[in-house]
Amino acid sequence: MAADVGTNQSVERSVAVLRALGAGRPELRVSDVAELTGLGSSTASRLLSTLERLDMVERDPVSNLYRLSLGTLPLAATAVNRHPVHRAARMVLQELAARTGLGANVAVRRGAELMFLCNFEGARAPKSYTQSGDTAPLHATGIGKCLLSGLTPEERRELLGETLEAHTEFTTVRHDLLDKAIDAVRRAGYATEAEERALGRASLAAPVRDGSGDIVAAVSLWGPASVLGDAGTSDPHAQAEHHAALARSVVEAADAVSQALGAL
């Protein structure tokens, strides 16, 4: 038993080191890794040396800073490419981004956050630094509200806690308002988010279901708030038609992914 515990602890510490290198700054000192993981400096140094020999991390020969090695890429790429949602959504999102000129992505829920599986940028989308594996808050995004719509209000409170973080002045930070927003998602079949996570950006999102009918992912269109909101015109009727057309596009994309996953 003691040996088993020691082995498990070594694996957990190694994974903690890799995660520390995968978050925030691209390169870290041994002391940085120790601080981020809560490990002693000697332990962190020993684990980094082992991971370097295994081609999971590499050390810059000049600065002596550590970073993730390309040896991690085959594992990460395989995990993403074999995910059923990624396989079902990739071509759909490419077409959606090209046709609308906006950004298109798909995400799944991982605990209390969402995780992006892939992202494509259309001609009118601002440069995005979102990568596969990046996470974002559920309550402050349209795609997250779609993922939350499969849970009850009680389950959402247990998952997110009573305090919802404000990312901008427009973020929904009260559960009663989040409940109303999610009720609207269920009625309309899609979510609208305007500058809740980042100023100047907005999104439309729709849920993806699998063969059992459960919400397993969500698809979103995102871009400048002006492009999603007003279509370059002050005519309210034209704006409403523009919004409705984009909403149909994202719902149809989510339905296509759902059908590929076996949904009826």
Side-chain angles (χ1 to χ4, degrees), residues 70-121:
L70 288 178
T72 61
L73 184 57
L75 296 175
T78 298
V80 172
N81 291 330
R82 289 181 178 175
H83 196 286
V85 171
H86 181 274
R87 293 202 307 268
R90 183 175 177 83
M91 294 302 296
V92 174
L93 293 184
Q94 283 183 309
E95 189 279 332
L96 181 63
R99 175 163 49 85
T100 62
L102 298 169
N105 53 39
V106 64
V108 296
R109 182 169 70 84
R110 297 274 291 177
E113 295 181 308
L114 65 85
M115 178 178 285
F116 294 102
L117 296 185
C118 57
N119 177 70
F120 297 95
E121 298 164 15

Short mmCIF file of all heavy atoms in Angstrom, two decimals, residues 70-121:
data_model
loop_
_atom_site.label_atom_id
_atom_site.label_comp_id
_atom_site.label_asym_id
_atom_site.label_seq_id
_atom_site.Cartn_x
_atom_site.Cartn_y
_atom_site.Cartn_z
N LEU A 70 7.52 19.80 -27.31
CA LEU A 70 6.66 19.29 -28.38
C LEU A 70 6.35 17.81 -28.19
O LEU A 70 5.47 17.27 -28.86
CB LEU A 70 7.33 19.51 -29.74
CG LEU A 70 7.37 20.96 -30.24
CD1 LEU A 70 8.11 21.04 -31.57
CD2 LEU A 70 5.96 21.52 -30.38
N GLY A 71 7.06 17.17 -27.27
CA GLY A 71 6.75 15.77 -26.97
C GLY A 71 5.36 15.58 -26.40
O GLY A 71 4.81 14.48 -26.44
N THR A 72 4.77 16.66 -25.86
CA THR A 72 3.40 16.57 -25.34
C THR A 72 2.37 16.68 -26.46
O THR A 72 1.20 16.33 -26.25
CB THR A 72 3.13 17.69 -24.31
OG1 THR A 72 3.29 18.97 -24.96
CG2 THR A 72 4.09 17.60 -23.14
N LEU A 73 2.79 17.19 -27.62
CA LEU A 73 1.83 17.49 -28.69
C LEU A 73 1.11 16.26 -29.21
O LEU A 73 -0.13 16.30 -29.39
CB LEU A 73 2.53 18.22 -29.83
CG LEU A 73 1.64 18.69 -30.99
CD1 LEU A 73 0.53 19.59 -30.48
CD2 LEU A 73 2.47 19.42 -32.04
N PRO A 74 1.79 15.15 -29.49
CA PRO A 74 1.06 13.98 -29.99
C PRO A 74 -0.04 13.51 -29.03
O PRO A 74 -1.11 13.10 -29.47
CB PRO A 74 2.15 12.91 -30.16
CG PRO A 74 3.40 13.70 -30.36
CD PRO A 74 3.24 14.91 -29.49
N LEU A 75 0.23 13.57 -27.74
CA LEU A 75 -0.78 13.15 -26.76
C LEU A 75 -1.98 14.10 -26.78
O LEU A 75 -3.14 13.66 -26.82
CB LEU A 75 -0.17 13.12 -25.36
CG LEU A 75 0.94 12.11 -25.12
CD1 LEU A 75 1.53 12.29 -23.72
CD2 LEU A 75 0.41 10.69 -25.28
N ALA A 76 -1.71 15.41 -26.76
CA ALA A 76 -2.80 16.39 -26.76
C ALA A 76 -3.60 16.32 -28.05
O ALA A 76 -4.84 16.36 -28.04
CB ALA A 76 -2.23 17.79 -26.55
N ALA A 77 -2.89 16.23 -29.17
CA ALA A 77 -3.58 16.18 -30.47
C ALA A 77 -4.44 14.94 -30.59
O ALA A 77 -5.57 15.00 -31.11
CB ALA A 77 -2.55 16.23 -31.61
N THR A 78 -3.93 13.82 -30.10
CA THR A 78 -4.71 12.59 -30.17
C THR A 78 -5.97 12.69 -29.31
O THR A 78 -7.05 12.27 -29.73
CB THR A 78 -3.85 11.39 -29.70
OG1 THR A 78 -2.73 11.25 -30.57
CG2 THR A 78 -4.66 10.11 -29.71
N ALA A 79 -5.82 13.26 -28.11
CA ALA A 79 -6.98 13.40 -27.22
C ALA A 79 -8.07 14.25 -27.86
O ALA A 79 -9.26 13.92 -27.82
CB ALA A 79 -6.55 14.01 -25.89
N VAL A 80 -7.66 15.37 -28.50
CA VAL A 80 -8.64 16.25 -29.13
C VAL A 80 -9.25 15.60 -30.37
O VAL A 80 -10.47 15.58 -30.55
CB VAL A 80 -7.98 17.60 -29.51
CG1 VAL A 80 -8.94 18.45 -30.35
CG2 VAL A 80 -7.59 18.36 -28.25
N ASN A 81 -8.40 15.08 -31.23
CA ASN A 81 -8.89 14.55 -32.50
C ASN A 81 -9.77 13.32 -32.33
O ASN A 81 -10.61 13.03 -33.20
CB ASN A 81 -7.70 14.22 -33.41
CG ASN A 81 -6.98 15.46 -33.89
OD1 ASN A 81 -7.59 16.52 -34.04
ND2 ASN A 81 -5.68 15.36 -34.12
N ARG A 82 -9.60 12.59 -31.24
CA ARG A 82 -10.42 11.41 -31.01
C ARG A 82 -11.70 11.72 -30.25
O ARG A 82 -12.55 10.84 -30.09
CB ARG A 82 -9.61 10.35 -30.24
CG ARG A 82 -8.52 9.71 -31.08
CD ARG A 82 -7.78 8.65 -30.28
NE ARG A 82 -6.75 8.00 -31.09
CZ ARG A 82 -5.89 7.11 -30.61
NH1 ARG A 82 -5.93 6.75 -29.33
NH2 ARG A 82 -4.99 6.56 -31.41
N HIS A 83 -11.85 12.96 -29.79
CA HIS A 83 -13.07 13.31 -29.05
C HIS A 83 -14.23 13.34 -30.03
O HIS A 83 -14.16 13.98 -31.09
CB HIS A 83 -12.91 14.68 -28.39
CG HIS A 83 -13.93 14.93 -27.33
ND1 HIS A 83 -15.24 15.23 -27.63
CD2 HIS A 83 -13.85 14.91 -25.97
CE1 HIS A 83 -15.92 15.41 -26.52
NE2 HIS A 83 -15.10 15.22 -25.49
N PRO A 84 -15.33 12.67 -29.72
CA PRO A 84 -16.45 12.60 -30.68
C PRO A 84 -17.03 13.95 -31.05
O PRO A 84 -17.43 14.16 -32.20
CB PRO A 84 -17.47 11.71 -29.96
CG PRO A 84 -17.07 11.70 -28.52
CD PRO A 84 -15.59 11.86 -28.51
N VAL A 85 -17.08 14.88 -30.10
CA VAL A 85 -17.62 16.21 -30.42
C VAL A 85 -16.71 16.94 -31.39
O VAL A 85 -17.17 17.57 -32.35
CB VAL A 85 -17.84 17.04 -29.14
CG1 VAL A 85 -18.20 18.48 -29.48
CG2 VAL A 85 -18.92 16.41 -28.27
N HIS A 86 -15.42 16.86 -31.19
CA HIS A 86 -14.47 17.49 -32.11
C HIS A 86 -14.61 16.92 -33.51
O HIS A 86 -14.65 17.66 -34.50
CB HIS A 86 -13.04 17.30 -31.60
CG HIS A 86 -11.99 17.93 -32.47
ND1 HIS A 86 -11.45 17.28 -33.57
CD2 HIS A 86 -11.40 19.15 -32.43
CE1 HIS A 86 -10.57 18.07 -34.14
NE2 HIS A 86 -10.52 19.21 -33.48
N ARG A 87 -14.69 15.60 -33.61
CA ARG A 87 -14.82 14.97 -34.92
C ARG A 87 -16.10 15.40 -35.62
O ARG A 87 -16.13 15.65 -36.82
CB ARG A 87 -14.80 13.44 -34.78
CG ARG A 87 -13.48 12.87 -34.32
CD ARG A 87 -13.36 11.40 -34.71
NE ARG A 87 -14.50 10.62 -34.26
CZ ARG A 87 -14.57 9.98 -33.09
NH1 ARG A 87 -13.54 10.04 -32.25
NH2 ARG A 87 -15.64 9.29 -32.75
N ALA A 88 -17.18 15.51 -34.86
CA ALA A 88 -18.47 15.88 -35.44
C ALA A 88 -18.56 17.35 -35.81
O ALA A 88 -19.27 17.74 -36.74
CB ALA A 88 -19.60 15.52 -34.47
N ALA A 89 -17.81 18.21 -35.08
CA ALA A 89 -17.99 19.66 -35.22
C ALA A 89 -17.00 20.33 -36.15
O ALA A 89 -17.29 21.42 -36.68
CB ALA A 89 -17.91 20.32 -33.84
N ARG A 90 -15.85 19.75 -36.38
CA ARG A 90 -14.76 20.46 -37.05
C ARG A 90 -15.17 21.03 -38.41
O ARG A 90 -15.03 22.23 -38.67
CB ARG A 90 -13.55 19.55 -37.20
CG ARG A 90 -12.35 20.24 -37.81
CD ARG A 90 -11.12 19.36 -37.84
NE ARG A 90 -10.02 20.05 -38.49
CZ ARG A 90 -9.22 20.92 -37.90
NH1 ARG A 90 -9.40 21.20 -36.62
NH2 ARG A 90 -8.24 21.51 -38.56
N MET A 91 -15.67 20.20 -39.29
CA MET A 91 -16.03 20.67 -40.63
C MET A 91 -17.22 21.62 -40.59
O MET A 91 -17.29 22.58 -41.37
CB MET A 91 -16.31 19.48 -41.55
CG MET A 91 -15.12 18.59 -41.83
SD MET A 91 -13.74 19.51 -42.58
CE MET A 91 -14.48 20.00 -44.15
N VAL A 92 -18.15 21.37 -39.69
CA VAL A 92 -19.32 22.24 -39.55
C VAL A 92 -18.88 23.65 -39.16
O VAL A 92 -19.36 24.65 -39.72
CB VAL A 92 -20.30 21.67 -38.50
CG1 VAL A 92 -21.44 22.65 -38.24
CG2 VAL A 92 -20.84 20.33 -38.95
N LEU A 93 -17.94 23.75 -38.22
CA LEU A 93 -17.49 25.05 -37.75
C LEU A 93 -16.66 25.78 -38.81
O LEU A 93 -16.75 27.01 -38.94
CB LEU A 93 -16.67 24.89 -36.47
CG LEU A 93 -17.43 24.42 -35.24
CD1 LEU A 93 -16.50 24.40 -34.04
CD2 LEU A 93 -18.63 25.30 -34.96
N GLN A 94 -15.84 25.04 -39.54
CA GLN A 94 -15.08 25.66 -40.62
C GLN A 94 -16.01 26.33 -41.63
O GLN A 94 -15.79 27.47 -42.06
CB GLN A 94 -14.21 24.63 -41.32
CG GLN A 94 -12.95 24.24 -40.57
CD GLN A 94 -12.10 23.27 -41.35
OE1 GLN A 94 -12.56 22.25 -41.84
NE2 GLN A 94 -10.83 23.58 -41.48
N GLU A 95 -17.05 25.62 -42.01
CA GLU A 95 -18.01 26.16 -42.97
C GLU A 95 -18.76 27.35 -42.39
O GLU A 95 -18.99 28.36 -43.07
CB GLU A 95 -18.98 25.06 -43.40
CG GLU A 95 -19.89 25.42 -44.56
CD GLU A 95 -21.11 26.24 -44.15
OE1 GLU A 95 -21.56 26.09 -42.98
OE2 GLU A 95 -21.61 27.03 -44.98
N LEU A 96 -19.13 27.26 -41.11
CA LEU A 96 -19.88 28.34 -40.46
C LEU A 96 -19.04 29.61 -40.38
O LEU A 96 -19.54 30.71 -40.67
CB LEU A 96 -20.29 27.89 -39.05
CG LEU A 96 -21.11 28.88 -38.21
CD1 LEU A 96 -22.45 29.17 -38.87
CD2 LEU A 96 -21.31 28.33 -36.80
N ALA A 97 -17.77 29.50 -40.01
CA ALA A 97 -16.90 30.67 -39.92
C ALA A 97 -16.68 31.29 -41.29
O ALA A 97 -16.70 32.53 -41.44
CB ALA A 97 -15.57 30.27 -39.30
N ALA A 98 -16.49 30.45 -42.32
CA ALA A 98 -16.26 30.97 -43.67
C ALA A 98 -17.50 31.67 -44.21
O ALA A 98 -17.40 32.72 -44.87
CB ALA A 98 -15.85 29.82 -44.59
N ARG A 99 -18.68 31.11 -43.93
CA ARG A 99 -19.92 31.66 -44.49
C ARG A 99 -20.32 32.96 -43.80
O ARG A 99 -20.81 33.89 -44.46
CB ARG A 99 -21.03 30.62 -44.36
CG ARG A 99 -22.42 31.09 -44.80
CD ARG A 99 -23.34 29.92 -45.05
NE ARG A 99 -23.32 28.97 -43.97
CZ ARG A 99 -24.06 29.06 -42.85
NH1 ARG A 99 -24.89 30.09 -42.70
NH2 ARG A 99 -24.01 28.13 -41.92
N THR A 100 -20.15 33.06 -42.49
CA THR A 100 -20.60 34.24 -41.75
C THR A 100 -19.50 35.28 -41.60
O THR A 100 -19.80 36.46 -41.34
CB THR A 100 -21.08 33.84 -40.34
OG1 THR A 100 -19.99 33.27 -39.61
CG2 THR A 100 -22.23 32.84 -40.42
N GLY A 101 -18.24 34.86 -41.74
CA GLY A 101 -17.14 35.78 -41.52
C GLY A 101 -16.83 36.01 -40.06
O GLY A 101 -15.96 36.82 -39.72
N LEU A 102 -17.50 35.29 -39.16
CA LEU A 102 -17.31 35.45 -37.72
C LEU A 102 -16.47 34.30 -37.17
O LEU A 102 -16.06 33.40 -37.89
CB LEU A 102 -18.67 35.51 -37.02
CG LEU A 102 -19.55 36.68 -37.43
CD1 LEU A 102 -20.96 36.51 -36.89
CD2 LEU A 102 -18.95 38.00 -36.95
N GLY A 103 -16.22 34.34 -35.88
CA GLY A 103 -15.54 33.24 -35.24
C GLY A 103 -16.54 32.15 -34.90
O GLY A 103 -17.70 32.42 -34.60
N ALA A 104 -16.11 30.91 -34.97
CA ALA A 104 -16.98 29.78 -34.63
C ALA A 104 -16.19 28.81 -33.76
O ALA A 104 -15.03 28.49 -34.08
CB ALA A 104 -17.48 29.08 -35.90
N ASN A 105 -16.79 28.36 -32.68
CA ASN A 105 -16.10 27.39 -31.84
C ASN A 105 -17.08 26.43 -31.21
O ASN A 105 -18.31 26.61 -31.25
CB ASN A 105 -15.22 28.08 -30.78
CG ASN A 105 -15.97 29.09 -29.96
OD1 ASN A 105 -17.11 28.88 -29.59
ND2 ASN A 105 -15.32 30.21 -29.66
N VAL A 106 -16.52 25.37 -30.62
CA VAL A 106 -17.32 24.38 -29.91
C VAL A 106 -16.63 24.10 -28.58
O VAL A 106 -15.40 24.14 -28.50
CB VAL A 106 -17.47 23.08 -30.73
CG1 VAL A 106 -16.13 22.38 -30.94
CG2 VAL A 106 -18.46 22.12 -30.07
N ALA A 107 -17.42 23.89 -27.55
CA ALA A 107 -16.87 23.65 -26.23
C ALA A 107 -17.70 22.62 -25.49
O ALA A 107 -18.88 22.40 -25.80
CB ALA A 107 -16.82 24.94 -25.41
N VAL A 108 -17.08 21.98 -24.51
CA VAL A 108 -17.76 21.03 -23.63
C VAL A 108 -17.57 21.53 -22.20
O VAL A 108 -16.72 22.37 -21.92
CB VAL A 108 -17.19 19.60 -23.77
CG1 VAL A 108 -17.43 19.06 -25.17
CG2 VAL A 108 -15.68 19.58 -23.45
N ARG A 109 -18.39 21.01 -21.31
CA ARG A 109 -18.25 21.39 -19.89
C ARG A 109 -17.27 20.46 -19.20
O ARG A 109 -17.37 19.24 -19.33
CB ARG A 109 -19.60 21.35 -19.17
CG ARG A 109 -19.50 21.81 -17.70
CD ARG A 109 -20.85 22.03 -17.08
NE ARG A 109 -21.60 20.81 -16.86
CZ ARG A 109 -21.46 20.02 -15.78
NH1 ARG A 109 -20.57 20.32 -14.85
NH2 ARG A 109 -22.20 18.93 -15.66
N ARG A 110 -16.34 21.05 -18.48
CA ARG A 110 -15.39 20.30 -17.66
C ARG A 110 -15.49 20.85 -16.25
O ARG A 110 -14.90 21.86 -15.92
CB ARG A 110 -13.97 20.46 -18.18
CG ARG A 110 -13.75 19.92 -19.58
CD ARG A 110 -13.44 18.44 -19.58
NE ARG A 110 -12.11 18.21 -19.01
CZ ARG A 110 -11.59 17.00 -18.83
NH1 ARG A 110 -12.28 15.93 -19.16
NH2 ARG A 110 -10.39 16.85 -18.31
N GLY A 111 -16.31 20.20 -15.42
CA GLY A 111 -16.52 20.71 -14.07
C GLY A 111 -17.24 22.03 -14.11
O GLY A 111 -18.28 22.18 -14.76
N ALA A 112 -16.67 23.04 -13.44
CA ALA A 112 -17.31 24.34 -13.33
C ALA A 112 -16.85 25.31 -14.42
O ALA A 112 -17.09 26.52 -14.31
CB ALA A 112 -17.03 24.94 -11.95
N GLU A 113 -16.17 24.81 -15.45
CA GLU A 113 -15.73 25.64 -16.56
C GLU A 113 -16.11 24.99 -17.88
O GLU A 113 -16.50 23.83 -17.92
CB GLU A 113 -14.20 25.82 -16.53
CG GLU A 113 -13.67 26.57 -15.33
CD GLU A 113 -12.16 26.71 -15.40
OE1 GLU A 113 -11.47 25.68 -15.58
OE2 GLU A 113 -11.66 27.85 -15.27
N LEU A 114 -15.99 25.76 -18.94
CA LEU A 114 -16.11 25.17 -20.27
C LEU A 114 -14.72 25.04 -20.86
O LEU A 114 -13.80 25.81 -20.52
CB LEU A 114 -17.03 26.00 -21.17
CG LEU A 114 -16.60 27.41 -21.58
CD1 LEU A 114 -15.68 27.42 -22.80
CD2 LEU A 114 -17.82 28.27 -21.86
N MET A 115 -14.55 24.06 -21.75
CA MET A 115 -13.27 23.87 -22.43
C MET A 115 -13.50 23.87 -23.93
O MET A 115 -14.34 23.14 -24.43
CB MET A 115 -12.60 22.57 -22.00
CG MET A 115 -11.28 22.29 -22.71
SD MET A 115 -10.46 20.77 -22.16
CE MET A 115 -9.83 21.32 -20.56
N PHE A 116 -12.74 24.70 -24.64
CA PHE A 116 -12.85 24.77 -26.09
C PHE A 116 -12.14 23.59 -26.73
O PHE A 116 -11.03 23.22 -26.35
CB PHE A 116 -12.24 26.07 -26.61
CG PHE A 116 -12.99 27.31 -26.20
CD1 PHE A 116 -12.52 28.11 -25.17
CD2 PHE A 116 -14.17 27.66 -26.83
CE1 PHE A 116 -13.21 29.24 -24.78
CE2 PHE A 116 -14.88 28.79 -26.44
CZ PHE A 116 -14.39 29.58 -25.42
N LEU A 117 -12.80 23.00 -27.72
CA LEU A 117 -12.20 21.90 -28.47
C LEU A 117 -11.61 22.37 -29.79
O LEU A 117 -10.61 21.82 -30.25
CB LEU A 117 -13.23 20.80 -28.73
CG LEU A 117 -13.78 20.10 -27.50
CD1 LEU A 117 -14.71 18.95 -27.92
CD2 LEU A 117 -12.67 19.56 -26.61
N CYS A 118 -12.22 23.36 -30.43
CA CYS A 118 -11.63 23.95 -31.63
C CYS A 118 -12.26 25.30 -31.90
O CYS A 118 -13.37 25.59 -31.44
CB CYS A 118 -11.73 23.03 -32.85
SG CYS A 118 -13.40 22.53 -33.30
N ASN A 119 -11.53 26.13 -32.64
CA ASN A 119 -11.97 27.49 -32.92
C ASN A 119 -11.51 27.88 -34.32
O ASN A 119 -10.38 27.60 -34.72
CB ASN A 119 -11.36 28.45 -31.90
CG ASN A 119 -11.71 29.90 -32.18
OD1 ASN A 119 -12.85 30.30 -32.02
ND2 ASN A 119 -10.74 30.69 -32.61
N PHE A 120 -12.42 28.52 -35.07
CA PHE A 120 -12.09 28.99 -36.41
C PHE A 120 -12.48 30.46 -36.53
O PHE A 120 -13.47 30.90 -35.94
CB PHE A 120 -12.83 28.17 -37.47
CG PHE A 120 -12.44 26.72 -37.48
CD1 PHE A 120 -13.19 25.79 -36.79
CD2 PHE A 120 -11.30 26.30 -38.15
CE1 PHE A 120 -12.82 24.45 -36.76
CE2 PHE A 120 -10.92 24.97 -38.13
CZ PHE A 120 -11.69 24.04 -37.44
N GLU A 121 -11.71 31.23 -37.29
CA GLU A 121 -11.93 32.66 -37.43
C GLU A 121 -12.34 33.02 -38.86
O GLU A 121 -11.65 32.65 -39.81
CB GLU A 121 -10.66 33.43 -37.08
CG GLU A 121 -10.20 33.23 -35.65
CD GLU A 121 -8.77 33.68 -35.45
OE1 GLU A 121 -8.25 34.39 -36.34
OE2 GLU A 121 -8.18 33.31 -34.43
#
